[in-house]
């Protein structure tokens, strides 16, 4: 086999593995958030390496997920599952970047599947 096709195959496997991690991580919001974080980072890295036209958007989605997961873990560390916490309630706004980033990856996937195929 050609070395280029082997590297292309590895990049495809990395992309699909990242998607699998992202979608499986959603099943458990707290513990699965690390799976979503690693999956989105894997997708961002693979699309950057592959020079995908949307690699910047995948990087933005991974950064949003990182901010949301970091905020979620900090809030969980200080308060546990308890709603009453010593942190300000405005910290909850930063947690919203986690589902926004996940939804952004979902939109990018649909763009790749349906819109990019028609070009």
């Amino acid at each position: 086999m050609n070395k280029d096709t082997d590297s292309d195959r590895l990049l495809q496997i990395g992309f699909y593995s990242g998607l699998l991690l992202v979608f499986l991580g959603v099943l458990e919001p707290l513990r699965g958030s690390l799976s979503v974080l690693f999956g989105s980072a894997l997708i961002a890295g693979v699309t950057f390496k592959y020079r995908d036209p949307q690699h910047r958007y995948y990087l933005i989605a991974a950064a949003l997920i990182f901010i949301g997961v970091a905020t979620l873990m900090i809030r969980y560390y200080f308060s546990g599952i308890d709603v009453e916490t010593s942190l300000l309630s405005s910290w909850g706004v930063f947690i919203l970047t986690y589902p926004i980033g996940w939804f952004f990856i979902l939109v990018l996937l649909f763009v790749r599947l349906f819109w990019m195929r028609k070009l």
Side-chain angles (χ1 to χ4, degrees), residues 3 8 10 15 18 28 37 45-46 50 54 59 64 71 79 81 85 87-88 91-92 99 103 106-107 114 116 118:
K3 190 168 184 115
D8 289 345
L10 284 175
F15 184 81
E28 170 60 41
L37 177 65
V46 165
Y50 195 62
Q54 287 105 9
L59 185 63
L64 286 172
T71 306
S79 68
I81 306 264
T85 182
L87 294 175
L88 294 173
W91 273 70
F103 184 71
L106 187 68
V107 167
F114 300 112
M116 292 294 289
K118 292 180 181 178

PDB file of all heavy atoms in Angstrom, residues 3 8 10 15 18 28 37 45-46 50 54 59 64 71 79 81 85 87-88 91-92 99 103 106-107 114 116 118:
ATOM      1  N   LYS A   3       2.017   4.876   1.231  1.00  0.00           N
ATOM      2  CA  LYS A   3       2.119   5.485   2.558  1.00  0.00           C
ATOM      3  C   LYS A   3       1.059   6.568   2.757  1.00  0.00           C
ATOM      4  O   LYS A   3       0.563   6.764   3.861  1.00  0.00           O
ATOM      5  CB  LYS A   3       3.513   6.047   2.751  1.00  0.00           C
ATOM      6  CG  LYS A   3       3.780   6.472   4.163  1.00  0.00           C
ATOM      7  CD  LYS A   3       5.238   6.754   4.363  1.00  0.00           C
ATOM      8  CE  LYS A   3       5.488   7.066   5.794  1.00  0.00           C
ATOM      9  NZ  LYS A   3       6.311   6.119   6.463  1.00  0.00           N
ATOM     10  N   ASP A   8      -3.956   8.436   5.453  1.00  0.00           N
ATOM     11  CA  ASP A   8      -5.352   8.848   5.301  1.00  0.00           C
ATOM     12  C   ASP A   8      -6.281   7.929   6.075  1.00  0.00           C
ATOM     13  O   ASP A   8      -7.246   8.375   6.690  1.00  0.00           O
ATOM     14  CB  ASP A   8      -5.762   8.871   3.832  1.00  0.00           C
ATOM     15  CG  ASP A   8      -5.128  10.008   3.055  1.00  0.00           C
ATOM     16  OD1 ASP A   8      -4.606  10.947   3.698  1.00  0.00           O
ATOM     17  OD2 ASP A   8      -5.150   9.949   1.810  1.00  0.00           O
ATOM     18  N   LEU A  10      -5.494   6.221   8.783  1.00  0.00           N
ATOM     19  CA  LEU A  10      -5.322   6.515  10.205  1.00  0.00           C
ATOM     20  C   LEU A  10      -6.079   7.776  10.601  1.00  0.00           C
ATOM     21  O   LEU A  10      -6.660   7.850  11.691  1.00  0.00           O
ATOM     22  CB  LEU A  10      -3.845   6.661  10.545  1.00  0.00           C
ATOM     23  CG  LEU A  10      -3.049   5.370  10.651  1.00  0.00           C
ATOM     24  CD1 LEU A  10      -1.579   5.678  10.860  1.00  0.00           C
ATOM     25  CD2 LEU A  10      -3.587   4.517  11.773  1.00  0.00           C
ATOM     26  N   PHE A  15     -10.753  10.266  13.251  1.00  0.00           N
ATOM     27  CA  PHE A  15     -11.953  11.097  13.195  1.00  0.00           C
ATOM     28  C   PHE A  15     -13.167  10.326  13.703  1.00  0.00           C
ATOM     29  O   PHE A  15     -13.929  10.808  14.530  1.00  0.00           O
ATOM     30  CB  PHE A  15     -12.182  11.584  11.754  1.00  0.00           C
ATOM     31  CG  PHE A  15     -13.342  12.526  11.622  1.00  0.00           C
ATOM     32  CD1 PHE A  15     -13.198  13.860  11.943  1.00  0.00           C
ATOM     33  CD2 PHE A  15     -14.562  12.079  11.169  1.00  0.00           C
ATOM     34  CE1 PHE A  15     -14.261  14.735  11.821  1.00  0.00           C
ATOM     35  CE2 PHE A  15     -15.633  12.938  11.044  1.00  0.00           C
ATOM     36  CZ  PHE A  15     -15.479  14.267  11.365  1.00  0.00           C
ATOM     37  N   GLY A  18     -13.001   9.719  17.446  1.00  0.00           N
ATOM     38  CA  GLY A  18     -13.375  10.932  18.167  1.00  0.00           C
ATOM     39  C   GLY A  18     -14.874  11.143  18.184  1.00  0.00           C
ATOM     40  O   GLY A  18     -15.448  11.514  19.213  1.00  0.00           O
ATOM     41  N   GLU A  28     -23.607   9.927  29.827  1.00  0.00           N
ATOM     42  CA  GLU A  28     -23.423  10.254  31.240  1.00  0.00           C
ATOM     43  C   GLU A  28     -22.815  11.654  31.309  1.00  0.00           C
ATOM     44  O   GLU A  28     -21.645  11.845  30.994  1.00  0.00           O
ATOM     45  CB  GLU A  28     -22.489   9.229  31.891  1.00  0.00           C
ATOM     46  CG  GLU A  28     -22.023   9.572  33.273  1.00  0.00           C
ATOM     47  CD  GLU A  28     -23.146   9.726  34.279  1.00  0.00           C
ATOM     48  OE1 GLU A  28     -24.097   8.930  34.252  1.00  0.00           O
ATOM     49  OE2 GLU A  28     -23.066  10.663  35.077  1.00  0.00           O
ATOM     50  N   LEU A  37     -14.583  15.478  25.939  1.00  0.00           N
ATOM     51  CA  LEU A  37     -13.419  16.362  25.839  1.00  0.00           C
ATOM     52  C   LEU A  37     -12.310  15.719  25.011  1.00  0.00           C
ATOM     53  O   LEU A  37     -11.771  16.338  24.093  1.00  0.00           O
ATOM     54  CB  LEU A  37     -12.908  16.710  27.236  1.00  0.00           C
ATOM     55  CG  LEU A  37     -11.648  17.558  27.303  1.00  0.00           C
ATOM     56  CD1 LEU A  37     -11.914  18.938  26.721  1.00  0.00           C
ATOM     57  CD2 LEU A  37     -11.164  17.661  28.722  1.00  0.00           C
ATOM     58  N   GLY A  45      -7.617  17.678  16.399  1.00  0.00           N
ATOM     59  CA  GLY A  45      -6.258  17.347  15.962  1.00  0.00           C
ATOM     60  C   GLY A  45      -6.221  16.676  14.610  1.00  0.00           C
ATOM     61  O   GLY A  45      -5.378  16.983  13.769  1.00  0.00           O
ATOM     62  N   VAL A  46      -7.149  15.759  14.387  1.00  0.00           N
ATOM     63  CA  VAL A  46      -7.184  15.034  13.113  1.00  0.00           C
ATOM     64  C   VAL A  46      -7.557  15.971  11.969  1.00  0.00           C
ATOM     65  O   VAL A  46      -6.947  15.918  10.900  1.00  0.00           O
ATOM     66  CB  VAL A  46      -8.155  13.836  13.209  1.00  0.00           C
ATOM     67  CG1 VAL A  46      -8.495  13.296  11.841  1.00  0.00           C
ATOM     68  CG2 VAL A  46      -7.555  12.746  14.061  1.00  0.00           C
ATOM     69  N   TYR A  50      -5.243  16.813   8.835  1.00  0.00           N
ATOM     70  CA  TYR A  50      -5.776  16.500   7.507  1.00  0.00           C
ATOM     71  C   TYR A  50      -5.977  17.758   6.668  1.00  0.00           C
ATOM     72  O   TYR A  50      -6.279  17.681   5.497  1.00  0.00           O
ATOM     73  CB  TYR A  50      -7.089  15.739   7.678  1.00  0.00           C
ATOM     74  CG  TYR A  50      -7.581  15.047   6.444  1.00  0.00           C
ATOM     75  CD1 TYR A  50      -6.851  14.047   5.830  1.00  0.00           C
ATOM     76  CD2 TYR A  50      -8.800  15.414   5.882  1.00  0.00           C
ATOM     77  CE1 TYR A  50      -7.306  13.414   4.704  1.00  0.00           C
ATOM     78  CE2 TYR A  50      -9.271  14.778   4.751  1.00  0.00           C
ATOM     79  CZ  TYR A  50      -8.526  13.786   4.162  1.00  0.00           C
ATOM     80  OH  TYR A  50      -8.980  13.169   3.046  1.00  0.00           O
ATOM     81  N   GLN A  54     -12.784  22.960   7.646  1.00  0.00           N
ATOM     82  CA  GLN A  54     -13.449  23.405   8.871  1.00  0.00           C
ATOM     83  C   GLN A  54     -12.624  23.135  10.123  1.00  0.00           C
ATOM     84  O   GLN A  54     -13.180  23.127  11.214  1.00  0.00           O
ATOM     85  CB  GLN A  54     -14.801  22.682   9.028  1.00  0.00           C
ATOM     86  CG  GLN A  54     -15.852  23.151   8.097  1.00  0.00           C
ATOM     87  CD  GLN A  54     -16.088  22.149   6.995  1.00  0.00           C
ATOM     88  OE1 GLN A  54     -15.582  21.046   7.034  1.00  0.00           O
ATOM     89  NE2 GLN A  54     -16.842  22.553   6.000  1.00  0.00           N
ATOM     90  N   LEU A  59     -11.714  23.230  16.233  1.00  0.00           N
ATOM     91  CA  LEU A  59     -10.873  23.711  17.321  1.00  0.00           C
ATOM     92  C   LEU A  59     -11.666  24.616  18.262  1.00  0.00           C
ATOM     93  O   LEU A  59     -11.506  24.534  19.484  1.00  0.00           O
ATOM     94  CB  LEU A  59      -9.658  24.446  16.753  1.00  0.00           C
ATOM     95  CG  LEU A  59      -8.624  24.909  17.762  1.00  0.00           C
ATOM     96  CD1 LEU A  59      -8.007  23.712  18.477  1.00  0.00           C
ATOM     97  CD2 LEU A  59      -7.549  25.717  17.073  1.00  0.00           C
ATOM     98  N   LEU A  64     -14.511  25.294  23.444  1.00  0.00           N
ATOM     99  CA  LEU A  64     -15.746  25.490  24.202  1.00  0.00           C
ATOM    100  C   LEU A  64     -16.009  24.319  25.139  1.00  0.00           C
ATOM    101  O   LEU A  64     -16.392  24.510  26.302  1.00  0.00           O
ATOM    102  CB  LEU A  64     -16.924  25.669  23.246  1.00  0.00           C
ATOM    103  CG  LEU A  64     -17.031  26.994  22.510  1.00  0.00           C
ATOM    104  CD1 LEU A  64     -18.143  26.932  21.467  1.00  0.00           C
ATOM    105  CD2 LEU A  64     -17.295  28.120  23.483  1.00  0.00           C
ATOM    106  N   THR A  71     -15.062  23.977  33.969  1.00  0.00           N
ATOM    107  CA  THR A  71     -15.985  24.625  34.896  1.00  0.00           C
ATOM    108  C   THR A  71     -16.840  23.599  35.620  1.00  0.00           C
ATOM    109  O   THR A  71     -17.076  23.713  36.828  1.00  0.00           O
ATOM    110  CB  THR A  71     -16.884  25.615  34.131  1.00  0.00           C
ATOM    111  OG1 THR A  71     -16.065  26.509  33.393  1.00  0.00           O
ATOM    112  CG2 THR A  71     -17.745  26.395  35.076  1.00  0.00           C
ATOM    113  N   SER A  79     -18.596  21.604  45.294  1.00  0.00           N
ATOM    114  CA  SER A  79     -19.933  21.413  45.846  1.00  0.00           C
ATOM    115  C   SER A  79     -20.474  20.000  45.711  1.00  0.00           C
ATOM    116  O   SER A  79     -21.496  19.694  46.295  1.00  0.00           O
ATOM    117  CB  SER A  79     -20.907  22.368  45.165  1.00  0.00           C
ATOM    118  OG  SER A  79     -21.079  22.008  43.811  1.00  0.00           O
ATOM    119  N   ILE A  81     -22.606  17.155  44.002  1.00  0.00           N
ATOM    120  CA  ILE A  81     -23.814  17.214  43.184  1.00  0.00           C
ATOM    121  C   ILE A  81     -24.785  18.249  43.748  1.00  0.00           C
ATOM    122  O   ILE A  81     -25.739  18.629  43.103  1.00  0.00           O
ATOM    123  CB  ILE A  81     -24.468  15.813  43.134  1.00  0.00           C
ATOM    124  CG1 ILE A  81     -23.468  14.798  42.673  1.00  0.00           C
ATOM    125  CG2 ILE A  81     -25.726  15.806  42.316  1.00  0.00           C
ATOM    126  CD1 ILE A  81     -23.456  14.441  41.244  1.00  0.00           C
ATOM    127  N   THR A  85     -24.161  25.790  46.638  1.00  0.00           N
ATOM    128  CA  THR A  85     -22.708  25.732  46.582  1.00  0.00           C
ATOM    129  C   THR A  85     -22.102  27.025  47.097  1.00  0.00           C
ATOM    130  O   THR A  85     -22.773  28.053  47.198  1.00  0.00           O
ATOM    131  CB  THR A  85     -22.238  25.468  45.138  1.00  0.00           C
ATOM    132  OG1 THR A  85     -20.819  25.379  45.138  1.00  0.00           O
ATOM    133  CG2 THR A  85     -22.668  26.554  44.198  1.00  0.00           C
ATOM    134  N   LEU A  87     -19.752  28.483  45.486  1.00  0.00           N
ATOM    135  CA  LEU A  87     -19.414  29.274  44.303  1.00  0.00           C
ATOM    136  C   LEU A  87     -20.592  30.147  43.901  1.00  0.00           C
ATOM    137  O   LEU A  87     -21.739  29.873  44.235  1.00  0.00           O
ATOM    138  CB  LEU A  87     -19.045  28.363  43.141  1.00  0.00           C
ATOM    139  CG  LEU A  87     -17.777  27.545  43.285  1.00  0.00           C
ATOM    140  CD1 LEU A  87     -17.631  26.608  42.113  1.00  0.00           C
ATOM    141  CD2 LEU A  87     -16.570  28.435  43.403  1.00  0.00           C
ATOM    142  N   LEU A  88     -20.304  31.177  43.177  1.00  0.00           N
ATOM    143  CA  LEU A  88     -21.377  32.029  42.671  1.00  0.00           C
ATOM    144  C   LEU A  88     -22.217  31.263  41.662  1.00  0.00           C
ATOM    145  O   LEU A  88     -21.724  30.393  40.952  1.00  0.00           O
ATOM    146  CB  LEU A  88     -20.784  33.270  42.001  1.00  0.00           C
ATOM    147  CG  LEU A  88     -20.035  34.240  42.910  1.00  0.00           C
ATOM    148  CD1 LEU A  88     -19.363  35.312  42.072  1.00  0.00           C
ATOM    149  CD2 LEU A  88     -20.975  34.868  43.909  1.00  0.00           C
ATOM    150  N   TRP A  91     -21.293  30.887  37.798  1.00  0.00           N
ATOM    151  CA  TRP A  91     -20.411  29.868  37.245  1.00  0.00           C
ATOM    152  C   TRP A  91     -21.180  28.933  36.326  1.00  0.00           C
ATOM    153  O   TRP A  91     -20.608  28.315  35.447  1.00  0.00           O
ATOM    154  CB  TRP A  91     -19.773  29.061  38.371  1.00  0.00           C
ATOM    155  CG  TRP A  91     -18.522  29.670  38.884  1.00  0.00           C
ATOM    156  CD1 TRP A  91     -18.409  30.810  39.607  1.00  0.00           C
ATOM    157  CD2 TRP A  91     -17.210  29.184  38.699  1.00  0.00           C
ATOM    158  NE1 TRP A  91     -17.116  31.057  39.899  1.00  0.00           N
ATOM    159  CE2 TRP A  91     -16.342  30.065  39.352  1.00  0.00           C
ATOM    160  CE3 TRP A  91     -16.682  28.080  38.064  1.00  0.00           C
ATOM    161  CZ2 TRP A  91     -14.975  29.890  39.378  1.00  0.00           C
ATOM    162  CZ3 TRP A  91     -15.318  27.897  38.088  1.00  0.00           C
ATOM    163  CH2 TRP A  91     -14.485  28.802  38.739  1.00  0.00           C
ATOM    164  N   GLY A  92     -22.476  28.825  36.549  1.00  0.00           N
ATOM    165  CA  GLY A  92     -23.297  27.957  35.713  1.00  0.00           C
ATOM    166  C   GLY A  92     -23.338  28.400  34.265  1.00  0.00           C
ATOM    167  O   GLY A  92     -23.565  27.589  33.365  1.00  0.00           O
ATOM    168  N   PRO A  99     -22.382  22.061  26.452  1.00  0.00           N
ATOM    169  CA  PRO A  99     -23.370  21.606  25.467  1.00  0.00           C
ATOM    170  C   PRO A  99     -23.356  22.418  24.171  1.00  0.00           C
ATOM    171  O   PRO A  99     -23.662  21.876  23.105  1.00  0.00           O
ATOM    172  CB  PRO A  99     -24.714  21.744  26.192  1.00  0.00           C
ATOM    173  CG  PRO A  99     -24.476  22.618  27.332  1.00  0.00           C
ATOM    174  CD  PRO A  99     -23.033  22.527  27.679  1.00  0.00           C
ATOM    175  N   PHE A 103     -22.997  20.641  20.619  1.00  0.00           N
ATOM    176  CA  PHE A 103     -23.960  20.909  19.557  1.00  0.00           C
ATOM    177  C   PHE A 103     -23.254  21.445  18.306  1.00  0.00           C
ATOM    178  O   PHE A 103     -23.639  21.135  17.181  1.00  0.00           O
ATOM    179  CB  PHE A 103     -25.024  21.891  20.042  1.00  0.00           C
ATOM    180  CG  PHE A 103     -26.107  22.144  19.050  1.00  0.00           C
ATOM    181  CD1 PHE A 103     -27.045  21.165  18.754  1.00  0.00           C
ATOM    182  CD2 PHE A 103     -26.202  23.361  18.398  1.00  0.00           C
ATOM    183  CE1 PHE A 103     -28.037  21.392  17.830  1.00  0.00           C
ATOM    184  CE2 PHE A 103     -27.192  23.596  17.478  1.00  0.00           C
ATOM    185  CZ  PHE A 103     -28.120  22.614  17.187  1.00  0.00           C
ATOM    186  N   LEU A 106     -21.910  18.604  16.426  1.00  0.00           N
ATOM    187  CA  LEU A 106     -23.019  17.940  15.745  1.00  0.00           C
ATOM    188  C   LEU A 106     -23.401  18.677  14.468  1.00  0.00           C
ATOM    189  O   LEU A 106     -23.608  18.059  13.420  1.00  0.00           O
ATOM    190  CB  LEU A 106     -24.217  17.834  16.689  1.00  0.00           C
ATOM    191  CG  LEU A 106     -25.409  17.038  16.210  1.00  0.00           C
ATOM    192  CD1 LEU A 106     -25.038  15.567  16.114  1.00  0.00           C
ATOM    193  CD2 LEU A 106     -26.567  17.226  17.154  1.00  0.00           C
ATOM    194  N   VAL A 107     -23.461  19.994  14.529  1.00  0.00           N
ATOM    195  CA  VAL A 107     -23.784  20.797  13.338  1.00  0.00           C
ATOM    196  C   VAL A 107     -22.688  20.636  12.279  1.00  0.00           C
ATOM    197  O   VAL A 107     -22.991  20.480  11.089  1.00  0.00           O
ATOM    198  CB  VAL A 107     -23.973  22.282  13.722  1.00  0.00           C
ATOM    199  CG1 VAL A 107     -23.996  23.182  12.498  1.00  0.00           C
ATOM    200  CG2 VAL A 107     -25.243  22.465  14.536  1.00  0.00           C
ATOM    201  N   PHE A 114     -24.004  16.248   4.694  1.00  0.00           N
ATOM    202  CA  PHE A 114     -25.039  16.601   3.736  1.00  0.00           C
ATOM    203  C   PHE A 114     -24.678  17.763   2.832  1.00  0.00           C
ATOM    204  O   PHE A 114     -24.879  17.719   1.628  1.00  0.00           O
ATOM    205  CB  PHE A 114     -26.353  16.905   4.458  1.00  0.00           C
ATOM    206  CG  PHE A 114     -26.853  15.732   5.240  1.00  0.00           C
ATOM    207  CD1 PHE A 114     -26.876  15.762   6.610  1.00  0.00           C
ATOM    208  CD2 PHE A 114     -27.254  14.577   4.594  1.00  0.00           C
ATOM    209  CE1 PHE A 114     -27.332  14.689   7.332  1.00  0.00           C
ATOM    210  CE2 PHE A 114     -27.707  13.492   5.305  1.00  0.00           C
ATOM    211  CZ  PHE A 114     -27.745  13.531   6.688  1.00  0.00           C
ATOM    212  N   MET A 116     -21.514  19.395   2.382  1.00  0.00           N
ATOM    213  CA  MET A 116     -20.218  19.298   1.692  1.00  0.00           C
ATOM    214  C   MET A 116     -20.242  18.243   0.593  1.00  0.00           C
ATOM    215  O   MET A 116     -19.502  18.311  -0.362  1.00  0.00           O
ATOM    216  CB  MET A 116     -19.107  18.960   2.689  1.00  0.00           C
ATOM    217  CG  MET A 116     -18.808  20.061   3.678  1.00  0.00           C
ATOM    218  SD  MET A 116     -18.112  21.527   2.921  1.00  0.00           S
ATOM    219  CE  MET A 116     -16.510  20.945   2.487  1.00  0.00           C
ATOM    220  N   LYS A 118     -22.553  17.807  -1.522  1.00  0.00           N
ATOM    221  CA  LYS A 118     -23.176  18.351  -2.727  1.00  0.00           C
ATOM    222  C   LYS A 118     -22.228  19.268  -3.494  1.00  0.00           C
ATOM    223  O   LYS A 118     -22.499  19.591  -4.632  1.00  0.00           O
ATOM    224  CB  LYS A 118     -24.440  19.125  -2.350  1.00  0.00           C
ATOM    225  CG  LYS A 118     -25.526  18.214  -1.832  1.00  0.00           C
ATOM    226  CD  LYS A 118     -26.753  18.991  -1.476  1.00  0.00           C
ATOM    227  CE  LYS A 118     -27.807  18.044  -0.949  1.00  0.00           C
ATOM    228  NZ  LYS A 118     -29.008  18.723  -0.548  1.00  0.00           N
TER     229      LYS A 118
END
